[in-house]
C-alpha cells in the first residue's frame, strides 16, 4: 500500500497535481482507484511533512521515503527488495537540470527562465545558444566574442571533406551528418578522454573548444551533405555573414557575387533554430547524457544523439505530417479523414505530445513564421489543409477531451517545404540547433556531483538454468522468422544455383 502524504514540485506554481495515489497490493494487482482530488502544487510545496509512506502488504515492511522536488529516489525501494519499472521513462526523472522548464499542462516552455515567446521575438540563435550553455544572456562584448569564435570554427579539415565526398550520390544527409560528426572525434586527440585521460574535460578551455567546433562546423557539414545530395560542389564558409546567413549561403550559392540570403528567410530559420535548440530530456538528449556518462568525448556523444534524432518518431516527425497532409489531398476530405482517425483507421500526425497536454507554445510561433515565409516564397498549397484541419480538430470534443493540440512538427515541415528543402533535410535542420541543447546537458552532467555512468537494470523474464545439449541430440530450435530478402542483383545468381529467386 502506498499512501502519499505530501509532494514537493520542481516548480511551485499553481498547476495541479493529483493525490492520493491508488493503493497497490503486495501482489502488484492495482485496486480500483478512488476519485482523485486535485491539489495545487503550491499547497503541496508548503506542506510540512515532505515524505511518502510505503507499506509492503506481502511482508508488512514499512519505509518512510523523503520527497524532494516532487520526486523520490528509486533506490529508496531497495529495503523492500523492489525496483521501479518504467521502460519508456514515462514518469522517471533521469537528472536534475537548470536548463529548460516545461509545463505540459499550461503549455509553457522556458530556456533558463526566459519564455520561449520572448526569445523567438527578440533574440537570435547564437544569443540563445550562449544562454543555454552558460546560463545567462550575454552583453554586447560577450556576444561579439562568442559569435566571432563560433564563426572562426566553421571550416572543415580537408580529410573530413574527402570523407564526405566518398558517400554515395543518394546518401541520406542525416546519415552523412551522423558519420561526419563521429569522425570529428578522430581529428582532435587532445579532446579524446580515451587518449588524453579521463579528466581531460575538467579543463574549461578544452570544453569550450569542443563547443566552438561542434556549433561552428555542424552547419558546414549539413550544407555539404545537402550539396552532395543534389550533385553540386561544396561551398566554403564566408565569415563576413552571420551564423544563419552563412549556412544558407553554403546551401545555395552558385557563382553570384556578394550573395546574401533574403532577410525574411534568414529570420525564419533563426526562429526555427531557437525553437528547436532544447526541449528538456527528450529521446536524443537522454541519449546524449547516456553516452557521455561513460566519459566519452562530446563529438561521439553528439553523433549518438544525432542518430537518435534520425528516427521517424523524433526528428522525422514533421516529414510524417507532410505525408499526412498530402494524403488528405483537399479541404473537403478532412471530415472523412478525422472520422477515420477516430475509428483507428488513420493516424493524426503533428497533434499531441508526450509532455504537452495543451497547445505546444512553439507551434503558435511557427504558425506565424510560416506566413512570413509564404510572403517571399509563395504559399505552400498544403497550408490550407493544415489550418482547416487544425480548426476542425480544435472544435471537436473527441480531440479536445484527449488533449490533442498541434505540436512543433505540425507547421515546421510546411515552412521547410516552402523554403525548398527536401524532406530528407528536415532532421538535419533539427540537428544543427539541437546540438546546442545536447552540449548544454553535457556540461551540466560533467559538473553534476550525482553523475555516474548510466546503467539501468532489467526485469529478467527469460529461461531458468538449462544444461548444454550436444549438437546431434538437439531438437529443431523454435526461433523467430530468420528469412531475408534478396536484392534484384542476386536474382540471376540464385536461379543458377537452384535457389528461389523470390
Amino acid at each position: 500500500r502506498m499512501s502519499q502524504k505530501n509532494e514537493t514540485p520542481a516548480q511551485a506554481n499553481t498547476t495541479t497535481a493529483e493525490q492520493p495515489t491508488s493503493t497497490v497490493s503486495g501482489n502488484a494487482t492495482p485496486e480500483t482507484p478512488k476519485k482523485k482530488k486535485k491539489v495545487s502544487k503550491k499547497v503541496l510545496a508548503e506542506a510540512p511533512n515532505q515524505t511518502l509512506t510505503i507499506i509492503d502488504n506481502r511482508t508488512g515492511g514499512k519505509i518512510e521515503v523523503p520527497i524532494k522536488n516532487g520526486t523520490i529516489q528509486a533506490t529508496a525501494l531497495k529495503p523492500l527488495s523492489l525496483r521501479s519499472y518504467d521502460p519508456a521513462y514515462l514518469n522517471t526523472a533521469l537528472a536534475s537540470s537548470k536548463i529548460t522548464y516545461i509545463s505540459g499542462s499550461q503549455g509553457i516552455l522556458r530556456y533558463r527562465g526566459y519564455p520561449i515567446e520572448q526569445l523567438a521575438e527578440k533574440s537570435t540563435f547564437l544569443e540563445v545558444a550562449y544562454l543555454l550553455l552558460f546560463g545567462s544572456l550575454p552583453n554586447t562584448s560577450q556576444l561579439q566574442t562568442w559569435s566571432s569564435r563560433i564563426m572562426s570554427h566553421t571550416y572543415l579539415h580537408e580529410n573530413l571533406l574527402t570523407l564526405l565526398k566518398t558517400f554515395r550520390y543518394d546518401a541520406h544527409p542525416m546519415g552523412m551528418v551522423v558519420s561526419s560528426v563521429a569522425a570529428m572525434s578522430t581529428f582532435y586527440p587532445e579532446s579524446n578522454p580515451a587518449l588524453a585521460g579521463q579528466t581531460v574535460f575538467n579543463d574549461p578551455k578544452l570544453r569550450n573548444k569542443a563547443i566552438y567546433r561542434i556549433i561552428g562546423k555542424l552547419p558546414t557539414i549539413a550544407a555539404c551533405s545537402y550539396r552532395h545530395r543534389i550533385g553540386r560542389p561544396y561551398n566554403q564558409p564566408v565569415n563576413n555573414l552571420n551564423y544563419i546567413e552563412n549556412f544558407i549561403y553554403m546551401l545555395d550559392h552558385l557563382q553570384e557575387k556578394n550573395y546574401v540570403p533574403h532577410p525574411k528567410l534568414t529570420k525564419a530559420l533563426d526562429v526555427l533554430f531557437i525553437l528547436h535548440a532544447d526541449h528538456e530530456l527528450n529521446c536524443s538528449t537522454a541519449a546524449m547524457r547516456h553516452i557521455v556518462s561513460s566519459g566519452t568525448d562530446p563529438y561521439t556523444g553528439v553523433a549518438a544523439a544525432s542518430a537518435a534524432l534520425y528516427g521517424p518518431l523524433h526528428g522525422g516527425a514533421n516529414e510524417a505530417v507532410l505525408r499526412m497532409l498530402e494524403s488528405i489531398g483537399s479541404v473537403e476530405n478532412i471530415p472523412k479523414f478525422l472520422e477515420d482517425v477516430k475509428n483507428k483507421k488513420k493516424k493524426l500526425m503533428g497533434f499531441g505530445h508526450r509532455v504537452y497536454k495543451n497547445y505546444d507554445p512553439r507551434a503558435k510561433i511557427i504558425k506565424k513564421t510560416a506566413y512570413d515565409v509564404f510572403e517571399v516564397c509563395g504559399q505552400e498549397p498544403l497550408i490550407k489543409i493544415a489550418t482547416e484541419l487544425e480548426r476542425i480538430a480544435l472544435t471537436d470534443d473527441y480531440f479536445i477531451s484527449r488533449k490533442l493540440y498541434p505540436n512543433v512538427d505540425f507547421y515546421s515541415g510546411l515552412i521547410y517545404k516552402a523554403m525548398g528543402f527536401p524532406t530528407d533535410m528536415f532532421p538535419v535542420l533539427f540537428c544543427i540547433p539541437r546540438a546546442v541543447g545536447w552540449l548544454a546537458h553535457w556540461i551540466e552532467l560533467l559538473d553534476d556531483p550525482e553523475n555516474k555512468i548510466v546503467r539501468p537494470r532489467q526485469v529478467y523474464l527469460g529461461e531458468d538454468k538449462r544444461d548444454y545439449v550436444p549438437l546431434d541430440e538437439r531438437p529443431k530450435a523454435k526461433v523467430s522468422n530468420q528469412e531475408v530478402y534478396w536484392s534484384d542483383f542476386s536474382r540471376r545468381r540464385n536461379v543458377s544455383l537452384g535457389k528461389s529467386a523470390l
Side-chain angles (χ1 to χ4, degrees):
R1 183 176 68 227
M2 300 177 67
S3 59
Q4 182 175 338
K5 289 184 177 179
N6 300 296
E7 182 181 56
T8 304
Q11 297 275 340
N13 53 33
T14 57
T15 56
T16 58
E18 298 172 345
Q19 90 172 93
T21 53
S22 59
T23 301
V24 180
S25 64
N27 61 4
T29 303
E31 298 177 2
T32 303
K34 298 179 181 179
K35 187 176 181 180
K36 297 175 181 178
K37 180 182 177 182
K38 292 186 177 181
V39 181
S40 74
K41 288 186 176 182
K42 187 174 186 298
V43 170
L44 292 174
E46 295 173 351
N49 194 348
Q50 300 292 325
T51 61
L52 178 71
T53 301
I54 304 176
I55 299 175
D56 188 342
N57 290 339
R58 304 167 301 174
T59 64
K62 177 180 177 180
I63 59 174
E64 198 90 356
V65 180
I67 297 173
K68 183 180 179 181
N69 296 325
T71 68
I72 62 169
Q73 289 282 348
T75 52
L77 299 174
K78 278 187 175 181
L80 300 179
S81 299
L82 290 173
R83 290 179 184 150
S84 59
Y85 180 68
D86 191 3
Y89 290 168
L90 295 176
N91 194 40
T92 296
L94 177 64
S96 298
S97 180
K98 297 179 179 179
I99 299 169
T100 296
Y101 170 68
I102 298 173
S103 171
S105 60
Q106 297 184 73
I108 293 173
L109 173 62
R110 298 177 191 147
Y111 293 164
R112 302 284 191 179
Y114 291 95
I116 192 65
E117 295 84 357
Q118 293 183 21
L119 294 173
E121 179 186 356
K122 302 175 181 179
S123 191
T124 63
F125 172 67
L126 280 190
E127 188 177 53
V128 169
Y130 188 100
L131 168 69
L132 288 169
L133 284 158
F134 304 115
S136 300
L137 287 170
N139 63 21
T140 300
S141 63
Q142 287 172 320
L143 181 59
Q144 288 174 346
T145 300
W146 165 249
S147 300
S148 174
R149 287 178 177 170
I150 294 293
M151 296 307 295
S152 67
H153 286 80
T154 55
Y155 277 80
L156 302 183
H157 193 289
E158 285 298 314
N159 289 354
L160 190 55
L161 288 171
T162 300
L163 172 66
L164 283 161
K165 291 175 182 177
T166 62
F167 281 92
R168 283 175 54 91
Y169 71 94
D170 59 351
H172 195 294
M174 194 62 178
M176 296 179 67
V177 170
V178 172
S179 303
S180 300
V181 175
M184 282 176 65
S185 66
T186 66
F187 288 83
Y188 311 112
E190 77 282 2
S191 297
N192 188 340
L195 299 173
Q198 189 173 342
T199 61
V200 63
F201 287 113
N202 290 349
D203 184 347
K205 292 181 180 178
L206 282 172
R207 291 188 192 185
N208 292 334
K209 189 70 169 179
I211 289 170
Y212 297 144
R213 284 170 174 160
I214 292 172
I215 298 176
K217 296 180 190 305
L218 253 178
T220 311
I221 292 173
C224 290
S225 302
Y226 172 77
R227 301 278 290 196
H228 187 89
R229 188 76 167 84
I230 62 176
R232 292 179 180 174
Y234 302 166
N235 281 322
Q236 293 284 11
V238 284
N239 293 343
N240 60 304
L241 300 175
N242 67 34
Y243 188 80
I244 304 296
E245 289 173 336
N246 176 61
F247 175 50
I248 300 176
Y249 171 91
M250 290 189 292
L251 292 170
D252 298 335
H253 177 253
L254 291 176
Q255 55 186 1
E256 308 87 352
K257 292 183 179 179
N258 302 318
Y259 177 80
V260 178
H262 194 287
K264 283 198 173 183
L265 300 183
T266 301
K267 176 61 178 176
L269 202 55
D270 197 55
V271 169
L272 286 165
F273 276 21
I274 290 172
L275 299 181
H276 284 114
D278 192 58
H279 205 240
E280 202 218 49
L281 281 179
N282 49 77
C283 176
S284 56
T285 306
M288 177 72 175
R289 279 184 172 263
H290 194 131
I291 296 298
V292 297
S293 74
S294 72
T296 190
D297 63 87
Y299 308 101
T300 302
V302 168
S306 302
L309 188 70
Y310 196 173
L313 295 180
H314 192 5
N318 48 17
E319 181 179 349
V321 172
L322 278 185
R323 301 198 187 285
M324 175 193 71
L325 296 174
E326 289 169 348
S327 70
I328 294 173
S330 68
V331 170
E332 291 73 25
N333 296 333
I334 292 175
K336 174 64 168 61
F337 171 79
L338 291 178
E339 281 303 311
D340 287 343
V341 170
K342 295 175 186 179
N343 294 323
K344 314 297 183 186
K345 295 179 180 178
K346 299 282 181 67
K347 287 188 176 182
L348 180 62
M349 309 304 296
F351 275 69
H353 194 276
R354 172 74 69 85
V355 175
Y356 293 114
K357 304 307 174 188
N358 203 321
Y359 207 109
D360 184 336
R362 300 170 299 172
K364 295 179 181 178
I365 300 167
I366 283 182
K367 187 175 180 180
K368 177 184 179 302
T369 303
Y371 286 99
D372 293 339
V373 171
F374 298 157
E375 282 184 19
V376 294
C377 290
Q379 181 160 302
E380 167 55 45
L382 295 176
I383 190 64
K384 291 182 180 180
I385 301 174
T387 52
E388 183 63 9
L389 178 63
E390 177 188 3
R391 185 192 69 78
I392 295 175
L394 293 184
T395 57
D396 190 311
D397 288 339
Y398 178 90
F399 301 102
I400 295 172
S401 64
R402 289 163 174 76
K403 301 186 184 300
L404 296 176
Y405 299 92
N407 59 40
V408 70
D409 299 310
F410 190 67
Y411 284 106
S412 60
L414 291 172
I415 297 176
Y416 292 145
K417 190 170 186 293
M419 292 178 72
F421 288 108
T423 53
D424 57 12
M425 273 295 290
F426 290 2
V428 176
L429 296 169
F430 196 157
C431 176
I432 297 170
R434 183 55 58 88
V436 169
W438 296 333
L439 291 169
H441 283 269
W442 169 60
I443 294 296
E444 192 171 66
L445 182 137
L446 290 177
D447 293 335
D448 188 349
E450 295 182 325
N451 170 34
K452 294 180 176 65
I453 184 172
V454 176
R455 206 296 186 187
R457 303 304 296 267
Q458 67 168 11
V459 178
Y460 179 71
L461 300 175
E463 299 284 349
D464 203 350
K465 179 185 176 184
R466 296 193 286 183
D467 291 323
Y468 183 85
V469 178
L471 180 62
D472 57 358
E473 297 178 18
R474 295 176 209 157
K476 184 177 180 180
K478 297 179 181 179
V479 295
S480 59
N481 191 321
Q482 294 180 298
E483 294 294 324
V484 298
Y485 75 92
W486 296 102
S487 71
D488 291 340
F489 303 112
S490 300
R491 185 170 295 172
R492 293 187 305 276
R493 187 170 63 89
N494 285 343
V495 171
S496 300
L497 293 173
K499 299 179 181 179
S500 171
L502 303 177

